[in-house]
Amino acid sequence: MTKFGSNIKKLRESRGLSLSDVEEKLGITKGLISRYENNLVDLSLSVAAKFAKFYSVSLDHLAGLK
């Protein structure tokens, strides 16, 4: 799932959001979000779905399939 990390980072940055902004909205710590974004930890499907909903994109988009 390495595409997920770089894609959620691109989405966050393109929207001008900080790690703190995402932490506040999703209830996931900044440290864990950073590890996801840097592909140090794989996202579970449920966490990937949270990010997809938050950014209003499909899971396919997050995975780099679209």
Side-chain angles (χ1 to χ4, degrees):
M1 282 200 216
T2 57
K3 287 258 186 200
F4 279 101
S6 57
N7 287 340
I8 62 171
K9 185 173 186 174
K10 286 177 192 171
L11 286 165
R12 179 179 61 77
E13 291 175 342
S14 73
R15 286 164 169 74
L17 298 171
S18 68
L19 289 172
S20 295
D21 295 330
V22 180
E23 175 184 45
E24 183 180 311
K25 298 293 183 183
L26 294 182
I28 300 170
T29 65
K30 292 183 291 189
L32 185 54
I33 295 166
S34 178
R35 289 192 296 275
Y36 287 144
E37 288 183 352
N38 291 294
N39 299 307
L40 299 175
V41 178
D42 286 336
L43 281 83
S44 66
L45 186 56
S46 62
V47 172
K50 282 185 182 184
F51 279 103
K53 183 175 181 179
F54 176 69
Y55 290 119
S56 299
V57 297
S58 68
L59 285 172
D60 284 347
H61 180 85
L62 281 185
L65 301 173
K66 285 190 174 185

